[in-house]
Amino acid sequence: MKKIIALIVVVCMAAAVTACGGGETSENGHVADQYHQLLEGKDTTYYYEADVVEQFMDVEEEASESVMAEGRDGKDQYVIMEGSSQLEQRQIETEDITYVIFDPDKEYTAEPKAEEEEEDLELKYVTTSEMELEGKTYRYDEYQAEYEMEPIMEADGEGESQAEIYLYVKRYLVDDSGQLYAIVTYNELKGTDGSDNEMIYQKIDTITKFQEGSVPDGIFDIPKDYKEVNYDDEDYEDEMISEEE
């Protein structure tokens, strides 16, 4: 299934927005370069919330809807929050540890980061154009990165003989006043021998809240009454089974 949807679209790379700008095109001709610089920066400070619609094209299901939020503290902490209708789970990345916090259950996990991590995809500016979304036309800047997926071996030892090339595409859509309205992210399998690219995933983040230069209190905190758990621990599995019974 397209390399398990291209490894779930390289972990569904997150998107964010900023309220700076004001409608002016930058000197290089881009309409949303400031947004790209903010979101891709490692020492920026911001927080945003968004309504999300995403769809895996290889799976015959309707698009799913959810909510998410993202923030950086300008130092070494990054958080992404998710939920079906409200924010319930947080993943906090620090310099050394990844925390996953389940706020409704008051539980969290803590995993040291691997010494060697995969490098982030380097998005490069491609074009400035227009597209229609929800019945309106928005200008956008588009950035792309290309990555390769190694062949997957089947149980019988046979597998695909040639790695496939994918495109990760991010579009920053701005409204008439120059404020970022939405971010459209999608992945395509590059065509071969002149064939068209095949879209395998699309995600639309419609911004509902944004603040630059600060983050809400507590989003990087783990309350003292939260319990650290290890989902690979047999004792924890026995405890969960007991609660279900």
Side-chain angles (χ1 to χ4, degrees):
M1 191 168 59
K2 292 296 181 295
K3 299 284 196 312
I4 315 301
I5 314 297
L7 285 186
I8 310 301
V9 192
V10 192
V11 198
C12 297
M13 300 171 68
V17 304
T18 178
C20 64
E24 295 184 2
T25 301
S26 61
E27 293 182 0
N28 57 19
H30 303 181
V31 296
D33 187 59
Q34 68 270 33
Y35 304 111
H36 176 70
Q37 296 300 325
L38 179 76
L39 301 184
E40 297 300 318
K42 300 300 182 183
D43 57 356
T44 52
T45 303
Y46 64 85
Y47 172 80
Y48 80 93
E49 297 177 2
D51 291 332
V52 180
V53 178
E54 64 180 332
Q55 186 171 16
F56 293 93
M57 307 305 181
D58 277 13
V59 181
E60 294 182 359
E61 296 180 357
E62 294 183 358
S64 64
E65 298 183 3
S66 61
V67 294
M68 62 90 68
E70 179 181 303
R72 290 186 184 274
D73 68 352
K75 300 176 183 177
D76 62 352
Q77 292 190 116
Y78 164 83
V79 63
I80 183 167
M81 298 183 278
E82 299 175 316
S84 56
S85 59
Q86 59 183 358
L87 302 172
E88 297 179 334
Q89 177 176 314
R90 291 180 286 150
Q91 179 171 318
I92 298 174
E93 301 283 347
T94 69
E95 186 176 358
D96 303 315
I97 300 176
T98 296
Y99 297 94
V100 179
I101 302 105
F102 305 90
D103 287 300
D105 299 329
K106 295 185 176 182
E107 295 180 343
Y108 71 94
T109 64
E111 295 290 339
K113 287 187 175 180
E115 292 185 3
E116 295 184 3
E117 295 187 348
E118 294 185 3
E119 295 184 1
D120 293 336
L121 295 179
E122 182 180 354
L123 289 165
K124 296 183 178 181
Y125 170 79
V126 175
T127 187
T128 296
S129 189
E130 295 182 346
M131 68 173 288
E132 185 174 303
L133 183 65
E134 299 178 347
K136 295 184 178 181
T137 300
Y138 298 92
R139 296 190 70 193
Y140 67 82
D141 282 346
E142 179 173 307
Y143 296 78
Q144 293 185 5
E146 190 174 284
Y147 63 99
E148 183 177 282
M149 299 295 295
E150 296 296 328
I152 293 178
M153 300 302 294
E154 304 293 343
D156 58 6
E158 297 182 357
E160 301 176 16
S161 59
Q162 184 175 356
E164 293 176 320
I165 306 299
Y166 292 84
L167 282 178
Y168 173 76
V169 181
K170 180 180 284 188
R171 291 179 175 178
Y172 303 87
L173 278 61
V174 298
D175 61 20
D176 291 339
S177 66
Q179 304 304 312
L180 197 64
Y181 174 76
I183 297 174
V184 178
T185 307
Y186 60 92
N187 276 61
E188 292 182 336
L189 172 63
K190 289 192 70 173
T192 57
D193 300 325
S195 61
D196 294 335
N197 294 349
E198 178 185 354
M199 184 180 291
I200 60 173
Y201 170 82
Q202 178 176 268
K203 177 171 174 276
I204 301 174
D205 296 336
T206 302
I207 308 311
T208 59
K209 179 180 180 180
F210 176 83
Q211 61 189 65
E212 183 181 359
S214 64
V215 297
D217 293 338
I219 65 170
F220 293 106
D221 297 339
I222 303 176
K224 293 182 179 179
D225 62 339
Y226 279 30
K227 176 183 177 182
E228 182 176 358
V229 297
N230 182 348
Y231 293 118
D232 295 327
D233 192 318
E234 292 183 2
D235 291 338
Y236 179 78
E237 292 182 3
D238 293 340
E239 180 181 337
M240 294 300 293
I241 293 173
S242 177
E243 290 180 359
E244 290 176 359
E245 293 175 349

